[in-house]
Amino acid sequence: MKKTIITVVGKDTVGIIAKVCTYLAENQVNILDISQTIVQEYFNMMMIVDMSYAAKDFGTISSELEQVGEAIGVHIKLQREDIFDKMHRI
C-alpha cells in the first residue's frame, strides 16, 4: 500500500471536499481516512489515501491537485506517509 497524506487549507467555500474527492476518484486514488474542521471561516482537511492503483505518478497528482487548489482558492499538498511520519516524530 502506498499511503500518502493530503492536506487542504484555506478559506471555507462550497465544494472543496467535492472537488478534491472527485479528482481523486477520477485518478483511482482510494481515500482511507478523512478529517476536516472549520475554524471561523478557515477550512482545514487532512486525508490519508492509498495511491497503489493511481492512474498517474505521485508528481503528476501532486501538481494537478495544487492546480485544483488554486482554482478553488485553497492550498493542497501531498506527502508520502514515511516522510510525513519522520517530519512529525518527537
Side-chain angles (χ1 to χ4, degrees), residues 1 15 31 54 64 69 75 78 81 83 87 89:
M1 185 176 308
I31 298 169
E64 290 180 356
H75 296 285
L78 273 68
E81 179 187 39
I83 294 171
M87 287 178 58
R89 203 173 15 173

Side-chain angles (χ1 to χ4, degrees), residues 1 14-15 20-25 28 35 39 42 48 55-57 59 62-63 73-74 77-79 86 88:
M1 185 176 308
V14 174
V20 174
C21 291
T22 297
Y23 174 86
L24 295 174
Q28 291 77 48
S35 172
V39 177
Y42 295 97
I48 301 173
K56 300 173 183 170
D57 63 47
S62 179
S63 176
V74 297
K77 297 293 178 196
L78 273 68
Q79 282 187 298
K86 287 177 182 162
H88 294 90

Side-chain angles (χ1 to χ4, degrees), residues 5-10 15-21 24 31 33-38 42-48 65 72 74-77:
I5 311 302
I6 299 174
T7 56
V8 181
V9 178
I16 296 172
I17 296 171
K19 295 255 197 276
V20 174
C21 291
L24 295 174
I31 298 169
D33 200 356
I34 183 171
S35 172
Q36 65 93 24
T37 58
I38 299 170
Y42 295 97
F43 178 86
N44 184 24
M45 178 168 66
M46 182 173 164
M47 306 171 90
I48 301 173
L65 273 175
I72 59 176
V74 297
H75 296 285
I76 302 176
K77 297 293 178 196

Side-chain angles (χ1 to χ4, degrees), residues 46-72:
M46 182 173 164
M47 306 171 90
I48 301 173
V49 301
D50 178 9
M51 292 186 55
S52 297
Y53 302 103
K56 300 173 183 170
D57 63 47
F58 180 90
T60 301
I61 289 176
S62 179
S63 176
E64 290 180 356
L65 273 175
E66 284 182 19
Q67 292 171 7
V68 168
E70 287 175 14
I72 59 176

